[in-house]
Amino acid sequence: MKNIKIILTAILTVSLLQLVKAQQFPDDVQYQSIAPPVTPTFPSYGESVIDNSVSNPIEITRVTELVNYVDGNGDPQIWYPTHEYSKTQVWNTDQTRYKIASWKVYNTTTYQEIHQLVDMDPSYWSNTDPDLMWSFRENGDVKKHVISTNSTQVVANIPGYEVVKLGPGEGNMDKNDHYVALVGKKTNGDLDVIIFNLQTLQIDYTKTFAGAWGNGNTSSPDFIDWVSVSQSGDYVVINWRNALNQINNYYLDQAGVNHYGVEVYNRADMVFQNRIIPYGNHGDLGYAIDGDEVYVQFYGEYGGGKIYMHKLNGSASSIVLNTHSDFGVSGHISCRNINRPGWAYVTMSELNESAQIVAVKLDSSGLTEHFGHHFSSALSYDQAAMAVSSPNGDKICFKSDFGTDPIGGSEVAYSFFANVTTPLFIQGEYLNKINIYPNPANNFMKIKSIKNIKDIIIYNVTGQKIKNFQVEDSNTNTINVNNINNGFYYLQITTEKEKIIKKVIIQ
């Protein structure tokens, strides 16, 4: 009998752990256009609200705050630091640290600053080492920054260019930190695509596109929007800066070949492979469910209202989300979930496009996961949500003013983290043995936990904080709910290890 109990206990534990793992992500459903609910109360730094309008409750935590400073003229200024872009990873590879812009590094659990970054703009997390960050400077310096020692080292320099950039702005390293594709501007307007080996710290290959930088400024080339290696490192993808069917905007190389749309090259020798789409839009490089590398983008040549994926080997282009008014061309796509291939994270930026953030399965199923709303006024580029997925794909980071400054052109924006609350609830109820009773309650509720309780907050169904209860004992607390209106609520208990969300009823 004892052995049977042990076996049953083991089976139950495995089942619960599998349930917890499965519930790290929202339910897989066909896409639904869900209008934004009433915007919850703007949370303070480090505090959370709940978006209950989608199929799984989403916890949204504010992780930045404004900075007051005095400029060189002695005038007071305000800066709203946020993460950079939907294709620039916020978290390190084990998700214990995050960075805001190329400014500061923070602890993911406490949201407290670890240290400031110095001369690391732009900065990129290593995809293999959680303690390492790379920077590719415009003067050609390649830098490494170690978080644990707060030390920075120039490990290489790429000479001979007016400016060297990664992207510019939208490029990434491969998932194994082997290769990166940089662009270099020559004084005569030529553009070099530079394949830099991060293991040997040497240039593997250089391909020149004569005149492709043009006579414009050093911030961006005239003819190329961005260049990046794929996640495998096998391909180099170039998105040319031109409009479909505008022949005069095509880049014509010395051999008389027009370059336009999204082109794929072999990384080892920069030999042209194929043009996967004649027109590039907001998109990112990732993996489909079948294991093929793809470029996922809005719009494309076939019209709006769709999201496409194009296989880098040129074998196929397909629709992953079909015609819908929510899928315009103003949103963004992130495939930075390198530990969860087969999904792309899509931001619908405009309020009339549901203002949702969803994960899209990269196959023909049409399945999506609803990660809630960004609640941004979205009246300026600074306020565009630009959601980026974490390496595991279980969290997203997005920008929003949370409806606090709906003025055209406003710079008011903050960064937020969002994730499902369900796994926290399951862990709390079944694994950490938190008991809340009676539920439903009339006047009082008792909360008992084997973990030390730090904080108790009750939220209404729109995610607004109703009350922060005083914690009187680390393990057993009685809270008075007599003055709270009857209805359905969420009780958030923060222990020394985690946050637990429990549905409660007051009657």
Side-chain angles (χ1 to χ4, degrees), residues 291-313:
D292 284 344
E293 289 194 275
V294 292
Y295 176 57
V296 187
Q297 72 165 20
F298 283 99
Y299 192 53
E301 66 170 329
Y302 305 108
K306 302 178 179 69
I307 296 174
Y308 293 86
M309 67 174 179
H310 313 283
K311 295 198 172 184
L312 299 190
N313 61 20

Side-chain angles (χ1 to χ4, degrees), residues 379-499:
L379 294 179
S380 70
Y381 188 78
D382 291 310
Q383 294 176 342
M386 296 183 186
V388 57
S389 60
S390 65
N392 295 342
D394 57 343
K395 299 178 185 295
I396 57 171
C397 178
F398 66 88
K399 290 189 297 180
S400 175
D401 71 327
F402 238 65
T404 60
D405 199 44
I407 300 173
S410 172
E411 296 181 355
V412 175
Y414 303 84
S415 283
F416 297 82
F417 290 168
N419 53 270
V420 294
T421 63
T422 309
L424 302 177
F425 159 66
I426 292 173
Q427 285 184 340
E429 188 174 10
Y430 292 102
L431 301 182
N432 290 330
K433 299 192 184 325
I434 278 196
N435 293 316
I436 301 173
Y437 60 91
N439 186 19
N442 293 312
N443 299 309
F444 297 92
M445 281 185 173
K446 182 164 286 190
I447 303 168
K448 298 183 69 174
S449 171
I450 63 173
K451 303 291 185 182
N452 290 336
I453 296 174
K454 303 293 186 182
D455 197 30
I456 303 170
I457 303 174
I458 192 166
Y459 296 89
N460 66 15
V461 293
T462 66
Q464 293 176 314
K465 182 166 70 174
I466 302 301
K467 188 174 182 179
N468 193 331
F469 296 98
Q470 183 176 352
V471 176
E472 298 176 349
D473 183 84
S474 60
N475 300 111
T476 302
N477 284 266
T478 299
I479 61 174
N480 187 344
V481 296
N482 184 50
N483 295 323
I484 298 176
N485 293 333
N486 294 349
F488 176 72
Y489 294 88
Y490 286 92
L491 199 62
Q492 175 182 288
I493 302 101
T494 303
T495 72
E496 58 190 347
K497 294 292 185 180
E498 60 196 348
K499 291 180 181 178

Side-chain angles (χ1 to χ4, degrees), residues 210-235:
W213 197 291
N215 298 317
N217 58 43
T218 57
S219 63
S220 60
D222 286 346
F223 289 97
I224 285 181
D225 188 11
W226 55 261
V227 178
S228 183
V229 294
S230 65
Q231 287 197 23
S232 70
D234 293 338
Y235 301 104

Side-chain angles (χ1 to χ4, degrees), residues 140-143 153-158 196 201-202:
D141 283 349
V142 178
K143 290 186 171 186
Q153 179 185 7
V154 178
V155 295
N157 179 266
I158 302 170
F196 189 80
L201 300 176
Q202 300 288 329

Side-chain angles (χ1 to χ4, degrees), residues 34-37 51 53-54 60 354-357 371-375 398:
I34 303 172
D51 182 355
S53 65
V54 290
I60 299 171
S354 82
Q356 284 194 89
I357 302 169
F371 273 87
H373 297 82
H374 54 69
F375 298 108
F398 66 88

Side-chain angles (χ1 to χ4, degrees), residues 33-99:
S33 182
I34 303 172
V38 175
T39 301
T41 301
F42 180 55
S44 299
Y45 180 75
E47 289 194 348
S48 304
V49 294
I50 306 296
D51 182 355
N52 290 309
S53 65
V54 290
S55 52
N56 301 86
I58 299 295
E59 181 182 40
I60 299 171
T61 305
R62 181 177 146 204
V63 296
T64 61
E65 54 188 343
L66 63 84
V67 174
N68 292 292
Y69 69 100
V70 177
D71 65 18
N73 297 321
D75 297 324
Q77 302 290 341
I78 296 176
W79 178 44
Y80 295 88
T82 58
H83 71 285
E84 293 103 322
Y85 193 60
S86 57
K87 293 161 69 171
T88 304
Q89 183 54 261
V90 172
W91 290 270
N92 65 344
T93 188
D94 67 3
Q95 299 185 188
T96 59
R97 304 286 184 263
Y98 69 95
K99 70 183 183 73

